[in-house]
Amino acid sequence: MSAHESYVTSYLKKSALVLSACGLTLAGIAPAAAAADKKDDKPPASMSDVGGARLAKAGTQVELGAGAPVLPKDLTAKSWIVSDAESGEVLASHNAHWKLPPASTLKMLFADTVLPRFPKTTTHKVVPSDLAGMGAGSSLVGIKEGFTYTVHDLWLGVFLKSGNDAVHVLSAMNDGVPETVKDMQAHADELQAHDTHVVSPDGYDMPGQTSSAYDLTLFARSGLQKADFREYAATARAKFPMKQKKGRTTERFEIQNTNRLLTGDYGISPYKGIAGVKNGNTTNAGATFTGVAQRGDKKLLVTVMNPSSRESFAVYKEAARLLDWGFEADGKVSPVGHLVLAKTAAAPSGSAAPKGDAGPAKPNAHAAVTSTSGSSGVGIALAITGGSLVVLAAAVFVVRKKWPAQKRS
């Protein structure tokens, strides 16, 4: 048995014992259907009208034109939304503003808030207090006390393995979890994501923690304006520190993105044109997912929350069906709403001053790029080859056009 195999086997055995004692499954995830079995769950009759009056209504909202395909029939999610990533037009939605537990899709807001604050080459030695307060059964990338990690390593742990341990270390660098929660809430408010109430930075189930399909889409759209965010969200596999000597990594093991539309899995293939963004799954939230994909010049965002279907990988399959529909419906439907701009649309989103031990950030090293014409930022352009994403570096993304300004709500 190799050193890597021995490490992984030992790690999984220890995790399984701890979680078994707590009555939890590995990574603290119960099957999505367990949370969806509550048949009496109903959306509010009226919800937020941010983005348009149609989005405040319960049920499915779509305006089909001549030749438009009908929506897929096998959609069981409590809430979903399909939108144009660049124009911000909402092509169709279902209970878009229903406040629901977000699970790890909330990490998109965490990344959009905190990622600009620390250059990726910054290093941090993990101390016990960095990992304090993590919920039982949290998903982990395998952070070790006493190890020194680069910020780049930590973000790989957040995006690929949804590591709550990586989130807590980055939060510690950002003056602690309470301060990070405040920062995330302030950024959500700035983005006009008013369905979102942040309690934990990692999306772990907490009383009162909510978001919505609409808000999660806003987080993804804002984050995707940052080159580093795009790179991490699109990375399928990477190497993560396994052994160190005197603070220097001597051996690494491979981690794989848990986004099955990006990497595929048994019974599901990678989605043609997919380029991220984030998945989640907890007992209260069920399965959640926000994805971005491109075909030709069209770039779509989709968010799906808590499908009740018992088919394997239901959240991904329903997201794929909605993306298929969205690409086919291009130019054949009238929008039912729009993704609003941040309150200070002319300023870079999430470009706060560096904090903690990172030192001064390099100007514009991580901030969203803004145009001189006063638009909201750069368009999302995704490099697709042979029907699958080529993940090499941030350079695979090419800025092609600006996002037009939109009405505010």
Side-chain angles (χ1 to χ4, degrees), residues 15-37:
S15 298
L17 287 172
V18 173
L19 297 175
S20 177
C22 296
L24 299 169
T25 58
L26 191 61
I29 296 172
D37 280 338

Side-chain angles (χ1 to χ4, degrees), residues 114-133:
V114 178
L115 192 153
R117 300 180 176 185
F118 304 100
K120 62 173 63 177
T121 55
T122 299
T123 59
H124 179 80
K125 185 175 181 179
V126 176
V127 297
S129 60
D130 292 346
L131 301 174

